[in-house]
Structure formats: structure tokens, C-alpha cells
Amino acid sequence: MKRVLTYGTFDLLHHGHIRLLKRAKALGDYLVVAVSTDEFNAGKGKTSYHDYETRKEILESIRFVDEVIPESSWEQKLDDVKGHGIDIVVMGDDWADSDRFDYLEEYCELVFLPRTEGVSTSEIKEDLGGAG
Ligand code: C2G
């Protein structure tokens, strides 16, 4: 039973998110998604359109998502890997150069998948005339 973990805000869910989640699940048997809390986002200067509970509800309805947990700090990732018996952490490759994940390589496999070009939550907001 290979267990996969990924992190994200997943606001205004779009096909870029879905394709990431689908590929992440395909790497194992069980997919845990850690969704950023509203407080964590505020700390990053981000405000999502949907609040945490709504983003969690939407993700839990996706058939290849097995479990959704809160992401409330940058520092929780190692606890998440150990606490959930994670074999692989998967992120889009916009995170490949970040130092937020590389230390996990001692504890689990780390996979960065190509992002889906041409779509992002901020672009959707801009296209709809909202704040970026
Ligand atoms: N993603 C993608 N293609 C897109 C947009 C997003 O593959 N067109 C991926 C991102 O690379 C990320 C995941 O979908 O792996 C979630 O993206 P966001 O909701 O934008 O999450 P992010 O703001 O990157 O937060 O601690 C890590 C953060 O929580 C990640």
C-alpha cells in the first residue's frame, strides 16, 4: 500500500489541480491531500475565494482523493510524512527549486510533476475581473 501526499490551496478547483491530483494518485494506492487553512494562507498574504471547509469538501468529493488534512504551517510536512506513513510526496514542478521540500528526501520519495500550462486560480480571477 503505497501512500502519497501532496500540498496545496486548491482554490477555484480547475483542471490543473485535477491533473496533478490524478497523476499523484497514479503513483500509489492512497492519496492524502493537505489543504492550506485560511490562517496559513493569510500568513502567506493569500486570500482564497473558498474558505478551508469548502475547499476540503470539494476535494473530498474527488474519487481519487482518499483523505484531506489541514496544512497549517510550513513546518508540519515531516510530521505529516511520518504520521501518515507517506511513501511519496508529490508537488507541481513550480516547487522543484524550493527549499520547502528537499529535506523530506531522507524520509520519503519526492516527485515534482510538470504543471498544467495555461491555467491558474489567479488567471481565472483576473479573467473574471476580480482581484488577481
Ligand atoms: N498545479 C498544477 N498546474 C497548475 C496549477 C497548479 O500542476 N496549472 C499544481 C501546483 O503545482 C501544486 C498544486 O497544483 O502542486 C496546488 O496548486 P495551488 O493550489 O496553487 O497550491 P500552492 O499555492 O502551490 O500551495 O506548502 C505548499 C503549498 O500549500 C502549495
Side-chain angles (χ1 to χ4, degrees):
M1 171 85 143
K2 192 168 275 195
R3 297 169 64 86
V4 184
L5 169 65
T6 189
Y7 292 85
T9 303
F10 297 102
D11 192 27
L12 299 179
L13 200 71
H14 54 65
H15 58 286
H17 295 138
I18 290 296
R19 290 177 188 170
L20 187 284
L21 294 169
K22 194 176 285 187
R23 285 176 290 162
K25 178 59 177 287
L27 293 173
D29 309 288
Y30 189 88
L31 175 60
V32 180
V33 181
V35 189
S36 51
T37 61
D38 300 325
E39 297 75 15
F40 182 49
N41 281 338
K44 295 189 270 183
K46 279 174 76 168
T47 307
S48 57
Y49 178 82
H50 291 306
D51 66 11
Y52 170 77
E53 286 306 324
T54 302
R55 289 180 284 119
K56 180 173 186 281
E57 177 186 356
I58 292 169
L59 283 162
E60 285 174 337
S61 69
I62 299 171
R63 60 181 158 77
F64 42 81
V65 171
D66 297 288
E67 184 177 356
V68 179
I69 62 172
E71 177 190 25
S72 50
S73 76
W74 291 110
E75 297 74 30
Q76 70 179 72
K77 295 184 175 63
L78 186 49
D79 289 341
D80 293 342
V81 167
K82 292 179 178 175
H84 292 269
I86 299 300
D87 301 292
I88 312 173
V89 168
V90 177
M91 292 298 290
D93 59 6
D94 48 317
W95 289 92
D97 302 329
S98 159
D99 60 0
R100 297 286 191 184
F101 292 88
D102 45 10
Y103 65 95
L104 295 173
E105 281 196 300
E106 284 180 61
Y107 304 94
C108 64
E109 193 180 343
L110 197 47
V111 174
F112 294 103
L113 299 172
R115 275 175 71 91
T116 300
E117 294 307 322
V119 63
S120 71
T121 301
S122 44
E123 282 173 79
I124 293 170
K125 286 181 179 177
E126 279 161 31
D127 289 354
L128 294 176

